[in-house]
Amino acid sequence: MAKVLDLPAIPPFSVSETSSSAQRWDKWTNSLDYYIRASGISDQKQKRAILLHLAGAEVQEIFETLPDTGEDYKTALEKLNAHFNSCKNIAFERHVFRQATQRAGESMDAFVTRLRTLAKTCQFDTSLDEMIRDQVIEKCASNDLLSIARSFELADRQALEIEQKFESSTHLNSIERNRDFQQPRRNSAKREDNNRQKCVCYCCGNEGHRAKDVQCPALDKTCRRCGKSGHFARVCRQKTNKPKQYRENARQLEQSDDDSSENECLFTLTAHNVHHRSDSLHMLEIEHIPVQMLIDSGASVNVLDLETYHRLKARKGVQLMPSTLPVYAYSSTTRLNILGTVSGRVKCNSAEIVAKFVVVHDQHAGCLLGRQTATQLGLLRVGPQVSSINCAVSPHSLRQRYPSVFDGVGKLTNYQQKISINTNIKPVAQPPRRIPFHVRKQVSAKLEELERLDIIEEVRGPTPWVSPLVVVPKSSGEIRVCVDMRQVNTAVIRERYPIPTVEESLQDLNGAAVFSKLDLKWGYHQIELDEQSRELTTFTTHDGLYRYKRLMFGISAAPEIYQHAIQQVLHGLPGVKNISDDIIVFGKDKSEHDRNLHGVLARLQERGLTLNSAKCMFSVSEITFLALIFLPVGFARTPSQSRLFVMPQHPRMLQRFAVFWA
């Protein structure tokens, strides 16, 4: 037997209200049906009694006047439905629907739900969703929604017009196609010509003709990729095992087959009776035929004289291609007499590329190799060249000679730094920042390491300054512990030691050719603090209070203090500059650099400082320092003639690009 729930009774039905009784009766009977189902009552007579009891006295009076009400629930409900629905006025119901307005504080969902309820008794002939949409647009309280809805309606109408125009246009096009089909045959030939202009030739890759057409420029040409005639390499379908660089050169040549470019190609053409320097002449192989060529870094094209062209044509069948490319001799305004261009494989030592040559109408003018081809063959390098340097100073030998310099984290001997503070600033003890539980083990391990290295120490007793610990994750998965020193910095008095600028450092490097770059390990932590200054660095963790015994990051005066301290350590040593923990050692030649380097390492060992060997570079000819690349030019010259080429490491520093001369 189902358990009967103790449910609150629904309110009685009011007959005297002026609003639509039919709609209110339907809503009330729905509530009654939910109530009976929830109560678990199934007996028809009991359900009939509950109907009349909950409907109230006014409904009971009406029910007594109705004929044939029966003894069961179904009959009684049908009689009451017939009574109240007979009072339904469709015109009035629709009037009520159209007068419905979104109430203050009523959500849009509630407003739409109320409209759907009112529309049930309206018997709309059109779509119910359209009626509700129109009512929402007219009676909603939001002006923005009204404009959006109107925009949607306008978009629907415009889309319908587009569809109608498209259907009309499609119909007209169909009529025109039928009319064209009935046109004379001459129109069909015209369309065929248009189609020919759109087709692509698979022999040359151009549009406007088909393969094997007499107009095809590749009809009698030899493919540079497979060696067969009748097509260009850019449309060749045969696979090749040529190196990537060879294929790239062939592709670039095919792109330049059309010589309609208006760019002038300048090069130096020298008379044949002038004796050239032997180091400017090189013997190359063009299609396996030896050719002596003059390298000219100012030439933008390669040149063959008529004699060399005939040798190539006789032995290898090289084809001369017509060319309209304007070519001028250096400082001349008269165009050279060009017979055409030829292409072929050029080999020099182990390098092999495909190059294009301009054939001049001169029997013994000589052959010229331009800048681009000479660079690709490795015969020419445009830009600064640096002679190789024999690096006799090795990191291993330096570690053996100066072992303490590369061991652990050092400490500047016989030196303690005092941080000046404004005593008028009241000390602040800040609350700790809660460290996430999943990194607390890493933080504890890091604190133990710093304490073992004598960088921090545990604090016992009261302390005036307390700063919170900040944990910063690294990309490697490790963590870095930092201290938020912003409150302490309000009391710190900065020491105004000047930090040298990049330009000042570069001025001393003029004429240098050999470099070494040194990096002090955990730079700030190699400067010890005095007892009074350590109180400023106290920080709180989940393991208790700690304070730094060494200089730390975060103190506003730390950069000037550290720069001055390291500058004093290196004072008097030649060929050395430092900015913060970066030290550069330099010399005009190898011996001078080695003397300067040993002097710096000996001074660092004497003062107890250590280096990070992983970030050090020794005795190199090119180095990156202060985000600039240092490159000596003309190292083989005398020191007085040597110069330093400096360029930025990043493009955003181009405005600081400079060349410093000795």
Side-chain angles (χ1 to χ4, degrees):
M1 182 177 179
K3 182 179 179 180
V4 179
L5 301 178
D6 186 13
L7 301 176
I10 62 176
F13 181 75
S14 177
V15 181
S16 58
E17 289 188 14
T18 57
S19 59
S20 173
S21 59
Q23 187 177 11
R24 292 188 295 104
W25 175 254
D26 290 339
K27 186 175 180 180
W28 188 87
T29 53
N30 289 335
S31 300
L32 175 66
D33 183 59
Y34 295 144
Y35 178 84
I36 292 176
R37 291 185 182 184
S39 300
I41 301 173
S42 58
D43 184 70
Q44 294 294 321
K45 292 184 178 181
Q46 188 176 4
K47 290 168 64 176
R48 180 177 183 272
I50 291 176
L51 166 64
L52 297 175
H53 171 70
L54 295 179
E58 294 181 349
V59 177
Q60 293 174 8
E61 291 180 1
I62 296 174
F63 184 76
E64 295 296 335
T65 61
L66 299 178
D68 302 328
T69 56
E71 297 294 332
D72 60 331
Y73 169 76
K74 183 178 180 180
T75 305
L77 183 60
E78 289 178 353
K79 291 295 182 179
L80 289 173
N81 288 340
H83 172 76
F84 288 111
N85 287 333
S86 63
C87 303
K88 183 184 301 183
N89 188 336
I90 301 300
F92 179 75
E93 299 293 341
R94 293 180 178 178
H95 170 75
V96 173
F97 176 83
R98 294 191 181 95
Q99 296 300 317
T101 306
Q102 186 178 9
R103 298 165 183 166
E106 185 179 23
S107 66
M108 183 56 62
D109 289 339
F111 181 43
V112 172
T113 301
R114 186 158 58 89
L115 290 177
R116 290 189 180 276
T117 304
L118 295 175
K120 289 182 179 180
T121 57
C122 294
Q123 299 182 4
F124 289 120
D125 297 333
T126 57
S127 173
L128 179 61
D129 291 337
E130 291 182 2
M131 300 300 297
I132 294 176
R133 180 199 61 188
D134 296 342
Q135 190 67 17
V136 169
I137 292 174
E138 294 179 3
K139 301 298 182 179
C140 68
S142 174
N143 294 329
D144 294 338
L145 181 60
L146 179 61
S147 61
I148 293 173
R150 288 173 177 171
S151 300
F152 275 117
E153 284 189 333
L154 179 60
D156 290 340
R157 289 197 300 268
Q158 292 174 347
L160 181 60
E161 292 179 3
I162 293 174
E163 291 177 359
Q164 292 175 351
K165 291 180 180 179
F166 176 76
E167 292 176 357
S168 176
S169 175
T170 304
H171 179 67
L172 291 176
N173 291 338
S174 177
I175 295 175
E176 291 179 359
R177 285 196 299 269
N178 293 334
R179 185 172 63 250
D180 290 341
F181 183 76
Q182 299 172 1
Q183 295 254 338
R185 188 172 181 82
R186 55 188 177 84
N187 289 344
S188 177
K190 183 178 180 180
R191 289 197 302 272
E192 183 177 355
D193 292 339
N194 294 335
N195 292 334
R196 284 176 60 85
Q197 294 178 0
K198 296 180 180 179
C199 68
V200 179
C201 174
Y202 62 80
C203 291
C204 67
N206 298 330
E207 297 181 354
H209 64 272
R210 300 184 184 276
K212 308 302 181 182
D213 195 290
V214 293
Q215 300 177 356
C216 180
L219 188 62
D220 56 348
K221 299 299 185 296
T222 301
C223 175
R224 301 188 186 94
R225 187 174 185 180
C226 65
K228 298 180 181 180
S229 61
H231 64 273
F232 287 149
R234 61 186 174 193
V235 293
C236 182
R237 301 179 182 179
Q238 182 172 340
K239 295 183 179 179
T240 178
N241 295 325
K242 294 291 184 180
K244 180 179 179 181
Q245 182 62 35
Y246 180 88
R247 297 197 303 269
E248 180 67 18
N249 292 329
R251 182 186 64 80
Q252 294 177 359
L253 283 175
E254 288 296 344
Q255 290 178 351
S256 60
D257 276 341
D258 184 8
D259 293 329
S260 60
S261 173
E262 295 299 331
N263 295 329
E264 299 176 355
C265 297
L266 303 177
F267 67 97
T268 301
L269 192 63
T270 309
H272 67 279
N273 57 354
V274 177
H275 297 284
H276 303 294
R277 290 179 52 185
S278 59
D279 58 354
S280 298
L281 295 173
H282 285 267
M283 187 63 69
L284 286 72
E285 290 185 4
I286 303 178
E287 295 293 345
H288 304 288
I289 297 178
V291 178
Q292 190 178 42
M293 306 197 73
L294 172 67
I295 297 178
D296 188 353
S297 62
S300 57
V301 293
N302 306 313
V303 178
L304 294 180
D305 57 15
L306 201 55
E307 179 187 7
T308 305
Y309 164 68
H310 286 309
R311 283 200 296 135
L312 295 174
K313 182 179 180 181
R315 298 183 58 178
K316 288 294 180 180
V318 176
Q319 296 291 331
L320 183 67
M321 302 175 61
S323 174
T324 59
L325 183 67
V327 182
Y328 299 83
Y330 179 70
S331 71
S332 175
T333 59
T334 304
R335 291 180 57 172
L336 296 178
N337 189 3
I338 302 299
L339 295 181
T341 60
V342 296
S343 300
R345 292 187 295 270
V346 183
K347 184 177 181 181
C348 180
N349 298 327
S350 59
E352 182 179 356
I353 64 172
V354 177
K356 177 184 289 187
F357 297 85
V358 175
V359 180
V360 296
H361 197 285
D362 194 320
Q363 190 70 17
H364 303 287
C367 301
L368 191 71
L369 196 65
R371 178 185 65 254
Q372 182 178 0
T373 305
T375 303
Q376 292 174 347
L377 291 173
L379 299 175
L380 178 66
R381 176 181 176 183
V382 179
Q385 300 185 13
V386 183
S387 302
S388 60
I389 299 173
N390 183 19
C391 298
V393 177
S394 65
H396 179 68
S397 63
L398 294 176
R399 291 191 188 95
Q400 289 183 335
R401 186 169 180 177
Y402 307 99
S404 61
V405 176
F406 300 93
D407 183 22
V409 181
K411 182 176 69 173
L412 186 59
T413 57
N414 301 323
Y415 183 86
Q416 281 192 341
Q417 179 64 43
K418 175 179 175 59
I419 299 177
S420 302
I421 62 171
N422 185 356
T423 57
N424 295 328
I425 303 296
K426 184 178 179 181
V428 178
Q430 302 180 64
R433 296 181 184 176
R434 302 302 175 185
I435 301 174
F437 290 101
H438 69 280
V439 297
R440 289 194 176 187
K441 289 185 178 180
Q442 291 178 278
V443 173
S444 299
K446 191 67 175 179
L447 295 176
E448 291 177 1
E449 178 187 7
L450 295 175
E451 190 174 10
R452 184 177 65 255
L453 295 174
D454 196 38
I455 296 176
I456 64 174
E457 62 183 357
E458 192 174 358
V459 177
R460 300 186 183 279
T463 177
W465 291 96
V466 179
S467 301
L469 182 70
V470 181
V471 180
V472 180
K474 296 182 180 180
S475 58
S476 61
E478 299 180 354
I479 62 169
R480 178 185 292 110
V481 292
C482 306
V483 181
D484 187 355
M485 299 291 290
R486 287 178 293 182
Q487 289 291 343
V488 178
N489 286 333
T490 60
V492 172
I493 301 176
R494 296 181 60 179
E495 301 182 18
R496 303 295 179 177
Y497 295 117
I499 297 179
T501 63
V502 175
E503 289 75 11
E504 292 173 344
S505 300
L506 294 180
Q507 183 63 34
D508 295 335
L509 294 174
N510 262 336
V514 189
F515 308 93
S516 288
K517 185 171 70 171
L518 310 178
D519 183 84
L520 292 170
K521 187 172 184 179
W522 297 6
Y524 284 8
H525 292 342
Q526 299 195 42
I527 306 297
E528 188 177 15
L529 295 175
D530 67 346
E531 186 68 27
Q532 185 178 359
S533 299
R534 296 177 187 180
E535 295 182 351
L536 302 174
T537 66
T538 304
F539 60 96
T540 177
T541 71
H542 64 284
D543 289 336
L545 294 178
Y546 291 87
R547 69 179 184 180
Y548 275 88
K549 301 175 66 176
R550 313 281 185 92
L551 188 64
M552 55 174 292
F553 290 94
I555 298 178
S556 59
E560 291 93 339
I561 292 174
Y562 185 75
Q563 172 67 28
H564 180 69
I566 302 302
Q567 193 171 344
Q568 292 299 315
V569 170
L570 302 175
H571 180 70
L573 295 176
V576 59
K577 296 291 292 184
N578 83 288
I579 293 184
S580 190
D581 59 345
D582 289 330
I583 302 174
I584 185 171
V585 184
F586 53 91
K588 293 182 179 180
D589 51 33
K590 188 70 170 58
S591 59
E592 179 181 340
H593 162 268
D594 291 349
R595 289 195 303 270
N596 297 339
L597 178 61
H598 285 295
V600 171
L601 295 178
R603 181 69 61 85
L604 294 178
Q605 182 171 260
E606 176 188 352
R607 301 304 303 272
L609 300 178
T610 59
L611 298 175
N612 184 357
S613 59
K615 295 184 178 181
C616 294
M617 299 178 64
F618 300 100
S619 191
V620 294
S621 58
E622 178 180 334
I623 198 169
T624 301
F625 183 67
L626 306 175
L628 295 173
I629 300 175
F630 295 83
L631 191 66
V633 180
F635 176 72
R637 306 173 185 174
T638 62
S640 61
Q641 293 176 321
S642 64
R643 55 193 172 119
L644 184 65
F645 185 80
V646 184
M647 62 181 298
Q649 182 184 14
H650 303 290
R652 62 176 178 270
M653 295 184 62
L654 284 175
Q655 66 271 18
R656 302 189 69 177
F657 174 78
V659 177
F660 294 86
W661 294 82

